[in-house]
């Protein structure tokens, strides 16, 4: 049982109704996470706006979903893992790619470096170094893509916390958590 009311699309008014209509148009229905967040119109506007902005970002849908899967698994967010696995498949990723991303891994060294950085952001709460950024640049990542990765990690932590804290019911096919443990320093 969720810890907040899940706002029905037909019960929403004003900007919240407009956002839920846009979300329904994008997903075919309003996922439970957005119905939970609709309790706060400003939070819904912020979250939906961030998804829209990153949808047009420099990383593209496949990398965005790999980052989301890695962060969801690290934070043990079953909702986000299920949702982003489904979205990742829709973006053309394979089950193997998505499963590897749960542990921050990829067969592509460039992608692996980006996922390692994303998980370091989670594990170290943003405490990264210029050497960490140098590694990304050595793999061909631009400053725009590095900053966007930080933004996407922050958005995914936000959605993870919403779904975990509010016990939002998963309305996507469940995916087992690998619960990628943080490396021991």
């Amino acid at each position: 049982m969720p810890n907040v009311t899940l706002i029905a699309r037909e019960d929403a008014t004003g900007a919240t109704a407009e956002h839920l209509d846009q979300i329904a148009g994008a997903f075919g229905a309003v996922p439970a996470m957005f119905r939970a967040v609709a309790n706060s119109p400003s939070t819904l506007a912020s979250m939906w706006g961030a998804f829209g902005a990153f949808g047009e970002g420099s990383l593209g849908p496949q990398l965005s979903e790999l980052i989301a899967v890695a962060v969801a698994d690290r934070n043990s967010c079953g909702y986000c893992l299920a949702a982003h696995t489904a979205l990742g498949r829709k973006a053309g990723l394979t089950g193997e790619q998505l499963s590897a991303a749960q542990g921050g891994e990829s067969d592509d060294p460039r992608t692996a470096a980006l996922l390692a950085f994303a998980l370091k952001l989670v594990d170290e709460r943003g405490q990264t170094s210029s050497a960490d950024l140098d590694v990304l640049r050595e793999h061909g990542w631009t400053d725009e893509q590095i900053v966007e990765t930080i933004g996407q990690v922050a958005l995914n932590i936000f959605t993870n916390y919403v779904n975990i804290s509010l016990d939002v019911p998963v309305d996507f096919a469940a995916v087992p958590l690998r619960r990628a443990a943080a490396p021991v320093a």
Side-chain angles (χ1 to χ4, degrees):
M1 196 71 178
N3 292 324
V4 295
T5 302
L6 299 181
I7 304 297
R9 184 174 163 206
E10 56 274 6
D11 293 337
T13 60
T16 299
E18 290 175 27
H19 287 117
L20 293 179
D21 287 344
Q22 293 168 3
I23 292 163
F27 288 93
V30 180
M33 175 186 73
F34 293 107
R35 294 179 59 214
V37 172
N39 282 282
S40 167
S42 61
T43 303
L44 180 63
S46 172
M47 182 183 285
W48 185 238
F51 277 116
F54 288 131
E56 298 174 8
S58 65
L59 294 177
Q62 288 189 346
L63 282 170
S64 297
E65 296 308 332
L66 293 173
I67 291 167
V69 163
V71 173
D73 195 84
R74 185 58 55 93
N75 285 327
S76 298
C77 183
Y79 187 100
C80 290
L81 180 59
H84 289 288
T85 297
L87 293 169
R89 288 181 191 272
K90 187 175 177 183
L93 293 164
T94 67
E96 292 79 22
Q97 289 170 308
L98 291 159
S99 180
Q102 284 182 252
E105 302 162 359
S106 173
D107 288 340
D108 174 51
R110 187 169 185 260
T111 300
L114 191 71
L115 292 176
F117 176 73
L119 291 180
K120 185 165 189 175
L121 286 167
V122 175
D123 296 339
E124 302 296 327
R125 292 170 176 75
Q127 301 295 320
T128 60
S129 68
S130 58
D132 295 318
L133 300 180
D134 290 343
V135 169
L136 291 176
R137 291 184 184 109
E138 289 168 9
H139 282 88
W141 296 108
T142 66
D143 287 351
E144 177 183 5
Q145 293 165 322
I146 293 167
V147 172
E148 189 172 318
T149 298
I150 296 166
Q152 288 207 22
V153 167
L155 173 60
N156 282 285
I157 290 171
F158 172 34
T159 62
N160 293 175
Y161 286 9
V162 163
N163 288 300
I164 294 166
S165 297
L166 300 179
D167 197 20
V168 176
V170 179
D171 46 9
F172 295 88
V175 175
L177 289 163
R178 283 180 58 182
R179 301 183 77 172
V184 177

